[in-house]
Amino acid sequence: MTQPPSQPGPRLDLRGAVDLSRLSQQAPSSGSGGGGRFVRDVTEADFADVVQLSMTVPVVVDLWATWCGPCRQLSPVLERLAEEYGGRFLLAKVDVDANPQISQAFQVQSIPTVVAILRGQPVPLFQGAVPEPQVRQVLDELLRVAAENGVTGTLDGTEQAGEADDQPAPLPPLHQEAYDAIQRGDLEAAADAYRRALAESPADADARAGLAQVELMARTRDLDPEATRRAAADDPTDVEAGMRCADLDVLGGHVEDAFTRLVDLVRITSGEERETVRRRMLDLFEVVGPDDERVLAARRALANALF
């Protein structure tokens, strides 16, 4: 199993847009075969909830489709183990046909694909209908790595010693408005709410990050990943193709690749084109996190390219 990288992937959760009190941690599954207390069908509308939940309990994501034979073999195994492990992880089931944006975010090439989320970071696990003994080994390793990273909660509400049990503070009204818009899939309304929050308080870092992430989701919602990457490869000087590919790279966790691509575009452009690329980099810095080491390195590279 691939352990969480020393440098984390992009934060998939929407800072300032997720209300922890709204999490439904034990919703029953209605997916491919059964379900249980620790199995949940997840859609693009509520995916932010399970990502936020990964801050306290590992989330195992089963990416499947109704037409997939190997998925029908693997899903019952995962559901049974979710029950057996008694809430030490949440099994989040995602129908890739109904939720292409989630599939795109994980850069799914074939199904079934199983990934984990720890503290908002994607962790690849395996592809294909893996035998149950091997699945158990992967889950045991995931729980070990989760414990090393302080993710030791359980879905029944009990947590290991030292874990806080405080209730989160209510969201500010415009942040709540943005959250509600995300829940119903209205990214434009969510972005508008964040912009109004920034107009009221320009120093609102959560609103700024939320806006950047919502805009990234909107830009990539209808992209064809294969066609986008092919266009960028065919013409490395195509600014729009390069920026779209960088967006996909950030969503897929290839943060350094995204920043390197954009810095290269800054070097070969000028005028308004260069400014457009620079602004895109600044937006993606907010998505990844201004204090992330990769962002700090990319800021230096950008400054060198500009001057």
Side-chain angles (χ1 to χ4, degrees):
M1 189 190 81
T2 302
Q3 296 188 12
S6 57
Q7 290 295 326
R11 286 190 299 269
L12 300 182
D13 57 311
L14 301 176
R15 291 185 294 164
V18 179
D19 181 356
L20 296 180
S21 67
R22 290 175 177 260
L23 295 180
S24 177
Q25 298 182 356
Q26 299 183 18
S29 169
S30 57
S32 59
R37 294 172 300 162
F38 310 121
V39 181
R40 175 178 176 180
D41 284 315
V42 176
T43 68
E44 291 167 358
D46 60 2
F47 188 65
D49 282 357
V50 297
V51 173
Q52 184 65 40
L53 181 59
S54 75
M55 303 302 291
T56 54
V57 65
V59 175
V60 175
V61 184
D62 176 17
L63 296 131
W64 64 282
T66 55
W67 48 264
C68 170
C71 298
R72 291 194 293 272
Q73 299 174 30
L74 178 64
S75 288
V77 173
L78 291 170
E79 292 175 3
R80 183 169 61 252
L81 291 175
E83 291 296 308
E84 180 180 319
Y85 277 69
R88 296 177 66 194
F89 68 87
L90 172 72
L91 177 61
K93 299 174 63 62
V94 176
D95 182 339
V96 297
D97 289 337
N99 302 279
Q101 188 174 349
I102 297 177
S103 176
Q104 177 180 304
F106 287 115
Q107 296 188 323
V108 173
Q109 301 296 320
S110 64
I111 55 172
T113 289
V114 179
V115 300
I117 309 174
L118 289 179
R119 290 193 175 276
Q121 302 174 28
V123 183
L125 297 184
F126 58 85
Q127 293 181 335
V130 172
E132 182 170 333
Q134 186 175 341
V135 176
R136 288 179 180 274
Q137 292 177 355
V138 170
L139 292 175
D140 289 342
E141 176 68 4
L142 171 65
L143 293 173
R144 183 189 68 78
V145 173
E148 289 180 352
N149 285 270
V151 182
T152 55
T154 57
L155 289 176
D156 62 2
T158 62
E159 296 179 344
Q160 304 283 337
E163 289 288 322
D165 193 32
D166 295 334
Q167 289 297 315
L171 290 174
L174 287 173
H175 289 242
Q176 183 66 55
E177 182 178 331
Y179 171 84
D180 292 339
I182 292 168
Q183 288 294 90
R184 64 177 184 269
D186 191 344
L187 299 181
E188 291 76 13
D192 178 68
Y194 281 131
R195 291 189 187 102
R196 284 183 281 130
L198 285 169
E200 291 184 2
S201 178
D204 187 340
D206 285 344
R208 188 166 56 251
L211 176 60
Q213 296 188 46
V214 167
E215 289 180 335
L216 175 62
M217 294 166 64
R219 289 197 303 268
T220 57
R221 179 167 45 189
D222 299 321
L223 287 183
D224 179 331
E226 182 177 349
T228 298
R229 296 187 185 284
R230 185 168 56 247
D234 289 345
D235 185 1
T237 67
D238 186 331
V239 169
E240 289 299 324
M243 290 193 301
R244 287 193 292 267
C245 195
D247 284 343
L248 291 178
D249 282 341
V250 168
L251 276 179
H254 305 290
V255 174
E256 293 93 339
D257 290 344
F259 292 158
T260 297
R261 182 185 301 276
L262 293 177
V263 168
D264 288 343
L265 284 174
V266 167
R267 290 195 176 101
I268 64 173
T269 54
S270 61
E272 185 57 33
E273 271 195 331
R274 172 179 280 196
E275 177 61 17
T276 298
V277 178
R278 186 190 72 85
R279 288 197 301 266
R280 180 61 55 85
M281 284 197 74
L282 297 182
D283 289 341
L284 293 179
F285 289 167
E286 288 293 339
V287 172
V288 178
D291 297 327
D292 189 285
E293 291 182 4
R294 294 162 298 180
V295 170
L296 298 177
R299 286 190 186 278
R300 292 191 292 270
L302 175 59
N304 290 335
L306 289 170
F307 305 107

